[in-house]
Amino acid sequence: MTTPYQLLYWPGLQGRGEFVRLALEEAGVPYVDVARQKGGMPKMMASLDFEQTDHPSFAPPVLQAGELLIGQTANILMYLGTKHKLAPRAEAGRLWANQLQLTIADIVNEAHETHHPISTNLYYEDQKTEAKKRAKDFREHRIPKFLDYFEGVVQGGWAVGSRLSYVDLSLFQLIEGLRYAFPKTMARLEPSYPKLIALHDKVAARPNIAAYLQSKRRIPFNETGIFRRYPELDK
Amino acid sequence: MTTPYQLLYWPGLQGRGEFVRLALEEAGVPYVDVARQKGGMPKMMASLDFEQTDHPSFAPPVLQAGELLIGQTANILMYLGTKHKLAPRAEAGRLWANQLQLTIADIVNEAHETHHPISTNLYYEDQKTEAKKRAKDFREHRIPKFLDYFEGVVQGGWAVGSRLSYVDLSLFQLIEGLRYAFPKTMARLEPSYPKLIALHDKVAARPNIAAYLQSKRRIPFNETGIFRRYPELDK
């Protein structure tokens, strides 16, 4: 491929874009993180605008792949999975990978809701009381419910079939994010999920991923992303 | 096909299963709504259980198609779209349809959050104060933002290309659900979305859909589904 991929995502945070970055990095394909380049923001905004593109996305991340402009994280990953052997070729395996990715998207959404349970248009500080209640439920009920499920999924060592897929990369990122946002909760829960933690470690050790994590391309977690460390939301 | 599809979903509510039902009904293919049959519940529960199936789903709806067990609404629709000409064959069109369906899933999730902003483990009555705040934001900011987007999407008469796709069926259901849950809000907003309402009406008039909506197979909206009519959440 002569034209590298262009990732269109907010600069300065991992967010949902990070699931795409991990797939691109593991695949070892060239890409430009457009909005992190000087003058890149207008290009990202154009991908959301009916005046400037035929198929704008509702929100980033968006991947430009040649003529194609692809939105929605799980959709981008499905595309990359097919092109770069990060998912099975057969229909049953592709559907299973997509199903798991959509289930990861569900807990990622819920992680975001813990600090914004009322409105994305209000500051965290203006919904902190509600956030504490929502986070309590997330810690006590939702994280265990999802991790129980994913622990079952990865019994064979990988999420899908007998080799790495984009789903494993996303499970790695999920664990990373939960550890960042809920360190006490995760310290307590992790011993119950040995297969999932082993998978996380196996992904972290892959050469391309290990190199990426140490590079400047990996934006540190912070309090503008999905996974935010607000100590009052952890126990 | 000799074996009809089996839809595995909670009985007694439309919920996310309804997006699948509409696709099956439009396609005119035989299906069994398993949990609505006598003795069907254990079969639905088995589809969520690692002890009873290799690839259990985190939550319903699940579609059994021969040997395949497919979870996550958008994933099921992608499958049905391919099999029953409810989506384009070409990659770009398939990705665009899936992207739009995932964006519909996002507003559907947010509609659910309006009555359960704190926890799905608590009754609505126990989170009513927070629900009123969340619903205000949903009515004032989120519904218009999503409908603005979808109005742009359907400028050509259909969401994807020049004929009906499963995305149009889901947009129909979205409008139906919003009308049920937020009748005052929608009465105020609908004049701003003529193309979307025209699409809704066009879907409602399709012979298979019209017949379905009048049948007993269409469960009425109620206060156990995603779209619930709580007058205090509407204005």
Side-chain angles (χ1 to χ4, degrees):
Chain A
M1 224 177 58
T2 51
T3 313
Y5 290 115
Q6 305 207 39
L7 173 63
L8 302 156
Y9 194 65
W10 304 111
L13 62 153
Q14 291 186 13
R16 289 182 178 85
E18 195 63 15
F19 297 94
V20 181
R21 288 191 193 100
L22 286 165
L24 292 165
E25 294 282 349
E26 170 63 25
V29 291
Y31 70 99
V32 181
D33 207 335
V34 175
R36 294 178 73 189
Q37 312 290 312
K38 202 171 169 184
M41 273 299 281
K43 174 129 208 240
M44 192 202 88
M45 298 309 290
S47 74
L48 312 177
D49 184 355
F50 282 99
E51 311 270 311
Q52 297 184 69
T53 176
D54 285 346
H55 286 172
S57 294
F58 183 75
V62 176
L63 185 75
Q64 179 154 8
E67 295 287 297
L68 270 180
L69 209 55
I70 311 167
Q72 284 281 356
T73 309
N75 197 41
I76 297 169
L77 291 172
M78 190 170 65
Y79 173 84
L80 291 174
T82 304
K83 301 293 177 204
H84 301 289
K85 300 187 178 170
L86 290 173
R89 290 178 71 91
E91 180 180 49
R94 277 187 286 115
L95 289 167
W96 177 234
N98 187 47
Q99 174 176 339
L100 293 173
Q101 191 63 42
L102 292 174
T103 307
I104 294 170
D106 286 341
I107 179 173
V108 168
N109 281 346
E110 293 191 24
H112 183 271
E113 297 285 341
T114 60
H115 49 79
H116 279 76
I118 301 300
S119 168
T120 52
N121 300 303
L122 292 175
Y123 291 112
Y124 164 63
E125 285 69 24
D126 296 328
Q127 49 197 311
K128 205 189 231 181
T129 306
E130 295 88 351
K132 285 181 189 170
K133 290 191 196 179
R134 175 94 189 209
K136 182 174 192 289
D137 182 75
F138 186 66
R139 292 192 312 267
E140 294 180 359
H141 300 290
R142 302 303 285 173
I143 296 180
K145 190 172 160 81
F146 277 101
L147 295 192
D148 284 355
Y149 177 73
F150 290 123
E151 180 74 5
V153 164
V154 303
Q155 283 305 301
W158 301 106
V160 179
S162 57
R163 61 183 298 271
L164 177 121
S165 70
Y166 64 79
V167 179
D168 301 302
L169 304 174
S170 294
L171 285 171
F172 160 82
Q173 176 66 6
L174 174 64
I175 298 294
E176 287 283 294
L178 291 174
R179 279 181 181 174
Y180 177 77
F182 305 99
K184 293 178 185 169
T185 301
M186 287 302 282
R188 197 172 63 244
L189 290 177
E190 286 193 22
S192 302
Y193 303 106
K195 297 281 175 109
L196 208 42
I197 301 305
L199 175 68
H200 165 278
D201 296 350
K202 206 158 59 170
V203 169
R206 295 189 64 95
N208 286 1
I209 298 295
Y212 167 62
L213 295 175
Q214 297 211 337
S215 75
K216 286 192 178 161
R217 299 191 302 285
R218 172 79 163 183
I219 302 161
F221 281 107
N222 62 43
E223 281 57 57
T224 60
I226 291 166
F227 297 105
R228 304 189 187 183
R229 182 170 288 176
Y230 295 131
E232 63 274 20
L233 301 188
D234 192 22
K235 282 281 177 181
Chain B
M1 224 176 61
T2 52
T3 314
Y5 289 114
Q6 304 207 40
L7 173 63
L8 302 157
Y9 195 66
W10 304 110
L13 62 153
Q14 291 186 12
R16 289 181 178 83
E18 194 64 14
F19 297 95
V20 180
R21 288 191 192 100
L22 286 165
L24 293 164
E25 294 282 348
E26 171 62 26
V29 290
Y31 70 99
V32 181
D33 206 336
V34 175
R36 294 178 74 188
Q37 312 290 311
K38 202 171 169 183
M41 272 300 280
K43 176 128 207 240
M44 192 201 87
M45 298 310 289
S47 74
L48 312 178
D49 184 355
F50 283 98
E51 310 270 309
Q52 298 183 66
T53 175
D54 285 344
H55 286 173
S57 294
F58 183 76
V62 176
L63 185 74
Q64 179 153 9
E67 295 287 299
L68 271 179
L69 209 55
I70 311 166
Q72 284 281 359
T73 310
N75 197 40
I76 298 169
L77 291 172
M78 191 170 65
Y79 173 84
L80 291 174
T82 304
K83 302 293 178 206
H84 301 290
K85 301 189 178 169
L86 289 172
R89 288 178 73 91
E91 181 182 50
R94 276 187 287 115
L95 289 167
W96 177 234
N98 188 46
Q99 174 176 340
L100 293 174
Q101 190 63 41
L102 292 174
T103 308
I104 295 170
D106 286 340
I107 181 173
V108 168
N109 282 346
E110 293 191 25
H112 184 270
E113 298 286 340
T114 61
H115 49 78
H116 279 77
I118 301 300
S119 168
T120 52
N121 300 302
L122 293 174
Y123 291 112
Y124 164 64
E125 285 68 23
D126 297 327
Q127 49 196 310
K128 204 189 231 181
T129 307
E130 296 88 352
K132 284 182 189 170
K133 290 190 197 180
R134 174 96 190 205
K136 182 174 191 288
D137 183 76
F138 186 66
R139 292 192 312 267
E140 294 180 359
H141 299 290
R142 302 302 286 174
I143 297 179
K145 191 172 159 81
F146 278 101
L147 295 192
D148 283 356
Y149 177 73
F150 290 123
E151 180 75 5
V153 164
V154 302
Q155 283 304 302
W158 301 105
V160 180
S162 57
R163 60 184 297 273
L164 177 121
S165 71
Y166 63 79
V167 179
D168 301 302
L169 303 174
S170 293
L171 286 172
F172 160 82
Q173 175 66 6
L174 173 64
I175 298 295
E176 286 282 295
L178 291 173
R179 279 181 180 173
Y180 177 76
F182 304 99
K184 291 178 186 168
T185 301
M186 287 301 282
R188 197 172 63 245
L189 291 177
E190 286 193 22
S192 302
Y193 303 107
K195 297 280 174 106
L196 209 42
I197 300 306
L199 175 69
H200 165 278
D201 296 350
K202 207 158 61 169
V203 169
R206 293 185 68 93
N208 286 1
I209 297 296
Y212 167 62
L213 295 175
Q214 298 210 337
S215 75
K216 285 192 179 161
R217 298 191 302 285
R218 171 80 163 182
I219 302 161
F221 282 107
N222 63 44
E223 281 57 57
T224 61
I226 292 166
F227 297 104
R228 304 189 188 182
R229 181 170 289 176
Y230 295 131
E232 62 274 20
L233 302 187
D234 192 24
K235 282 281 177 179

